[in-house]
Amino acid sequence: MEGMTSASSALGSPMRHDRLLSALAAWQLPVEGTEPLTGGLNSTTWLVRAPGGVRYVAKLADTADAAAFAGGLRVAARAGRRGLAGGAPVALPDGRLAAELPEGVLALLEYVPGTVPDAGSPHDLRRLGAVLGRAHRLLADAVDDLPERLRWPWPWASARLREVPMPPHVRRAAAQVLDEAREATPLLRLGVVHGDPRLDGFRLSGGSSALDGLVGWDAVLHAPLLYDVACVAVLTRDTPRALRHVLDGYRTVDPAIVRDLDHLDLFVRLRWAVTAIHVAGRIARGALRGVSGSPEDNEAGLARAYAGMRG
């Protein structure tokens, strides 16, 4: 993300290429080379090449996000055991799923082949929706993989709103949206959600659609299933009719999602509230991971999030 041989550490300082190779040695696997991958809101990733054409993905998360990162690794491992290509973690020889480093928390993940969905392709978007619905179905009981604070009604969000410095008007707007979403809970179905289902997290197989995957589980949460749909709505907001095609695919796996859609606008606002909380936290920590490296980008992101919460 920040060049071919370095990436952001927990506070934005570079991690040298030799340091990455040294850290990867803990897995006791041969490595031929690495190259950075784009994308990722709260982490930095590299493609890791091993002999024989074998590939992995190395992911470095901020130390402050370690608990959520660990929960995502456990969920990805469960997804893999149940037949969903989710980028499951490769365990260290001692059984740990990640290594703690001065630069953050590093995991080595299985590489999931496939193409990223084309936002302009109704066919791709329907496949994306089907993968999301399948993930929700397969991980319905995975809540035990997550720490209590990440489970609905999200103690983590209340704590962040109390503790993270942010403009008062942003704090008030986020608190109001969170309260409204909690009040709607009795009308909605809960489950484990991906939390950040960007298009570049989906992998469409060149073969059977049963091999399609969803990677990047470091933002995983327990929440109303509608939250992931709202995330897709936000992330595809510049593509006309994209959400309609995604929902067409989702309904092939879970037709009951239509009963939740009356609350979609509220959960779109909740997605923006979550974005505001995360961006405010990055500003407070001086963290630049996942953005271009400019503090102004974080400030602009906070302004966008506030506008989104206002509808």
Side-chain angles (χ1 to χ4, degrees):
M1 295 172 67
E2 285 78 30
M4 293 301 293
T5 60
S6 67
S8 295
S9 73
L11 291 177
S13 59
M15 182 177 185
R16 298 192 313 272
H17 185 244
D18 60 344
R19 173 62 181 144
L20 173 63
L21 293 177
S22 175
L24 289 172
W27 275 266
Q28 299 180 12
L29 296 171
V31 174
E32 290 186 338
T34 69
E35 60 186 84
L37 298 172
T38 59
L41 181 63
N42 299 311
S43 61
T44 303
T45 57
W46 298 264
L47 179 67
V48 178
R49 299 187 183 276
V54 177
R55 291 175 288 181
Y56 302 95
V57 172
K59 176 169 284 193
L60 179 71
D62 291 346
T63 300
D65 299 323
F69 188 57
L73 295 176
R74 290 190 292 268
V75 169
R78 185 186 293 262
R81 292 193 297 270
R82 294 181 175 181
L84 177 68
V90 178
L92 287 150
D94 61 7
R96 290 178 298 142
L97 298 183
E100 297 180 1
L101 307 172
E103 299 87 353
V105 184
L106 183 70
L108 189 65
L109 312 177
E110 294 177 358
Y111 177 81
V112 178
T115 59
V116 174
D118 179 352
S121 167
H123 175 72
D124 283 8
L125 292 173
R126 285 192 290 269
R127 284 179 68 171
L128 180 160
V131 174
L132 188 61
R134 184 171 167 231
H136 288 169
R137 184 187 66 198
L138 291 174
L139 299 171
D141 62 348
V143 62
D144 290 342
D145 290 329
L146 302 180
E148 187 69 32
R149 68 185 186 86
L150 297 182
R151 303 179 192 180
W152 192 257
W154 290 358
W156 73 269
S158 295
R160 291 287 186 91
L161 285 173
R162 288 192 305 268
E163 300 163 2
V164 175
M166 66 183 74
H169 65 283
V170 174
R171 191 188 313 276
R172 287 193 298 269
Q176 179 179 345
V177 173
L178 184 60
D179 286 345
E180 292 177 20
R182 287 166 170 166
E183 290 172 4
T185 300
L187 304 174
L188 301 169
R189 296 169 304 144
L190 300 177
V192 170
V193 299
H194 182 275
D196 192 31
R198 299 170 179 271
L199 264 65
D200 60 8
F202 291 86
R203 298 291 184 271
L204 304 185
S205 170
S208 169
S209 60
L211 301 177
D212 292 346
L214 174 58
V215 301
W217 290 89
D218 40 317
V220 65
L221 295 162
H222 176 244
L225 299 179
L226 186 62
Y227 180 73
D228 265 352
V229 177
C231 291
V232 173
V234 170
L235 296 167
T236 62
R237 62 191 182 280
D238 294 329
T239 304
R241 296 182 293 280
L243 183 63
R244 183 186 71 183
H245 300 307
V246 171
L247 288 170
D248 285 346
Y250 193 107
R251 283 193 293 265
T252 65
V253 178
D254 179 13
I257 191 63
V258 297
R259 297 200 297 266
D260 296 340
L261 294 179
D262 287 345
H263 300 276
L264 180 59
D265 288 346
L266 169 59
F267 277 78
V268 165
R269 292 169 55 221
L270 181 63
R271 164 66 181 196
W272 284 116
V274 170
T275 299
I277 292 170
H278 286 320
V279 173
R282 289 206 303 271
I283 293 171
R285 300 198 311 269
L288 302 177
R289 191 191 310 287
V291 295
S292 69
S294 167
E296 289 76 15
D297 287 343
N298 277 334
E299 297 291 349
L302 191 61
R304 283 194 299 273
Y306 177 70
M309 288 188 288
R310 300 278 292 177

